[in-house]
Amino acid sequence: MIETSNLSKRYGPIAAVDGISFKVEPGQVLGFLGPNGAGKSTTMKMIAGFVTPTSGTAKVCGHDVETQPLEAKRALGYLPEGAPSYGEMTVARFLDFVADLRGLAGDGRKQRIGFVVEHLSLAGVMQQTIETLSKGYRRRVGFAAALLHDPMLLVLDEPTDGLDPNQRHAVRDLIKKLGEERGLIISTHSLEEVEAVCTRAIVIDQGRIVADKTPQALIDEHGSLERAFTALTRGEERA
């Protein structure tokens, strides 16, 4: 699903991402963990083709994101930080707009729109403009747009940010279901979320991978994910 090799991004003398290499296979839900500024979002943006790497490569379903950008983006659904654009659009119009961009048509288009509306509980807000929605609903609209074309890979940056507990539970269930056949990368500050939905966790600090294990392995070694996160991002166990 994803293969990165020595992926790096520099801004002048600052290395935001410093030689990251990993793979994600179908059926894996990978949690990206790290303190603010660790390089999580920059890595995800390079995989999604929104930021050009300084060096190294990223492939999505075998397609290089720099040399085969259209093929890579067809296979990928990306939920970035923040809310979807075009706040003056209704939710229904926005999803139609995304379906147009993705080339969806006919019965397949109706089925996919129906799927995301049902699974992200958007039926009650379809005629509201996006700018009038709560943060949680805007997040779900963004997730719906990322999922609309039925991609084999999903890259989700804080997918449950702003959701209430019931919404968070429903979205986590959806992520687990999607992860049965697809590859998923999730960046989150919620260690509870990693334990609940992720089959694997990568901890990043100062642009480098400092751990790549299952959540349970990190818990077994440190007693909890919180302790693992604290120890690894302080650099105490990088050796």
Side-chain angles (χ1 to χ4, degrees):
M1 295 283 99
I2 296 176
E3 182 176 359
T4 71
S5 178
N6 295 313
L7 195 63
S8 300
K9 182 63 179 180
R10 301 190 69 88
Y11 295 98
I14 299 172
V17 177
D18 192 5
I20 284 181
S21 299
F22 65 90
K23 296 180 181 180
V24 177
E25 304 291 346
Q28 284 189 338
V29 181
L30 171 63
F32 254 20
L33 295 172
N36 290 333
K40 304 184 301 297
S41 292
T42 301
T43 300
M44 298 172 89
K45 288 175 182 177
M46 287 191 286
I47 292 169
F50 282 76
V51 169
T52 302
T54 303
S55 61
T57 60
K59 293 182 179 180
V60 174
C61 296
H63 304 294
D64 188 288
V65 298
E66 286 194 272
T67 61
Q68 299 172 293
L70 294 180
E71 293 85 350
K73 288 176 181 177
R74 287 191 188 104
L76 179 144
Y78 177 45
L79 174 62
E81 293 180 284
S85 300
Y86 311 114
E88 73 279 5
M89 285 186 177
T90 64
V91 175
R93 179 68 190 94
F94 180 71
L95 293 179
D96 275 336
F97 172 70
V98 174
D100 287 341
L101 292 178
R102 290 294 186 179
L104 302 180
D107 290 340
R109 177 189 179 110
K110 292 179 182 178
Q111 290 171 1
R112 290 306 303 167
I113 291 177
F115 177 89
V116 299
V117 169
E118 176 184 355
H119 284 82
L120 289 156
S121 302
L122 296 174
V125 298
M126 290 295 283
Q127 299 309 316
Q128 281 187 234
T129 57
I130 291 172
E131 63 190 0
T132 68
L133 300 177
S134 67
K135 182 178 181 180
Y137 268 114
R138 293 198 303 270
R139 207 77 190 119
R140 284 190 274 169
V141 172
F143 196 163
L147 187 57
L148 191 58
H149 62 297
D150 199 16
M152 285 304 298
L153 172 69
L154 284 163
V155 176
L156 309 174
D157 202 344
E158 298 286 349
T160 60
D161 185 34
L163 273 59
D164 66 35
N166 288 334
Q167 295 169 346
R168 193 176 299 119
H169 180 76
V171 169
R172 287 176 180 174
D173 284 346
L174 176 60
I175 287 171
K176 285 191 284 187
K177 181 178 179 180
L178 293 170
E180 292 174 1
E181 297 179 350
R182 295 167 172 79
L184 276 80
I185 296 181
I186 300 171
S187 174
T188 178
H189 286 96
S190 170
L191 300 180
E192 175 191 350
E193 191 157 279
V194 172
E195 190 171 355
V197 305
C198 295
T199 59
R200 180 178 163 203
I202 283 180
V203 183
I204 299 177
D205 191 29
Q206 296 181 342
R208 296 183 178 182
I209 294 175
V210 295
D212 183 354
K213 300 181 180 182
T214 66
Q216 189 59 52
L218 291 172
I219 292 169
D220 291 343
E221 290 179 16
H222 300 272
S224 70
L225 282 180
E226 183 176 0
R227 290 178 181 175
F229 180 84
T230 299
L232 291 164
T233 55
R234 285 178 179 174
E236 294 173 3
E237 301 191 6
R238 292 186 196 177

